[in-house]
Structures are given as structure tokens and as C-alpha cells.
Amino acid sequence: MVLPNEPIKSTQQRVDDDVAHVDDDVQLLSDTLEEVLAYSGDKADQKYLELKTRAELALDEVKNRISHASDNYYYRAKEVVYRADDYIQENPWHGVGIGASVGLVLGLLLARR
């Protein structure tokens, strides 16, 4: 949903934003896990337990964000399919023309080989 004062982002901009968020999440997870692995103190030490807890929380957060992003892409793709289906239902001859054009281009490309 786009808010009235929010600029409309293209699909590419939204994908780039999501990729940036995933990169940040992976970096956060990597940094925390490296810190846990680098600490070679006593397993009962308070610092080790704190680092382990932070690593577990970071891992859970990244998993949730990745799951959410995956669901988001699924629903976007589903929405595009429904829009295309509605368009073809409303304009069947446009669909035939588009299909014929795609077939012609593919045929020309394959004939070159």
C-alpha cells in the first residue's frame, strides 16, 4: 500500500531495497556469529552466554525477514498473474496479438541458430 505522500517506487527499486535489507541482515548475522566463534572462553562464562543469545536472536530475526520477503515476492507474483489474466479476459485480441508477436520473435531467434 502506498501512502499519499510516499513516492511511488518501481519494481526494480523495491527489489533493490529488499536486496539491500537482506545484505544488511546477512552482515549482521555474520558479524555476530564471528564474534561468538572468536570467543573461546569458558562455556559457563557470562560473556559467552550473552554472545550466544545475541547470535540466536540475530539468526531468528534474519530467518523471519527472509521468510517475510519470500512471502512478499510470492504475493507480488500472484498479483501480476491475476492482473495479466484479467487483462487477457477483457482484451482477448490483444492477448492473441501479444502471443503471436512473442512467437514470431522467438521463431526468428531460433531460426538464426
Side-chain angles (χ1 to χ4, degrees):
M1 177 176 208
V2 177
L3 299 175
N5 295 332
E6 187 176 294
I8 298 174
K9 292 184 176 181
S10 71
T11 302
Q12 183 62 41
Q13 288 171 328
R14 287 184 292 194
V15 168
D16 290 343
D17 289 347
D18 290 341
V19 168
H21 289 300
V22 170
D23 288 344
D24 292 342
D25 292 341
V26 171
Q27 186 62 41
L28 170 69
L29 180 63
S30 174
D31 292 344
T32 307
L33 290 178
E34 284 177 9
E35 193 176 344
V36 168
L37 294 174
Y39 187 77
S40 60
D42 184 18
K43 300 282 187 201
D45 187 20
Q46 185 64 27
K47 176 75 171 169
Y48 176 77
L49 295 175
E50 289 173 9
L51 291 173
K52 183 179 177 189
T53 302
R54 280 183 50 206
E56 289 171 348
L57 291 173
L59 181 61
D60 288 341
E61 184 178 338
V62 169
K63 283 182 181 179
N64 287 336
R65 286 185 184 180
I66 289 174
S67 175
H68 178 70
S70 173
D71 292 345
N72 194 11
Y73 287 127
Y74 170 77
Y75 289 118
R76 284 183 191 173
K78 197 172 184 179
E79 181 181 344
V80 168
V81 168
Y82 285 139
R83 284 184 182 179
D85 184 53
D86 290 343
Y87 179 80
I88 296 300
Q89 294 291 329
E90 293 172 7
N91 305 299
W93 287 109
H94 289 188
V96 170
I98 291 170
S101 300
V102 170
L104 177 66
V105 169
L106 286 176
L108 291 172
L109 290 174
L110 291 174
R112 287 181 149 184
R113 290 185 176 191

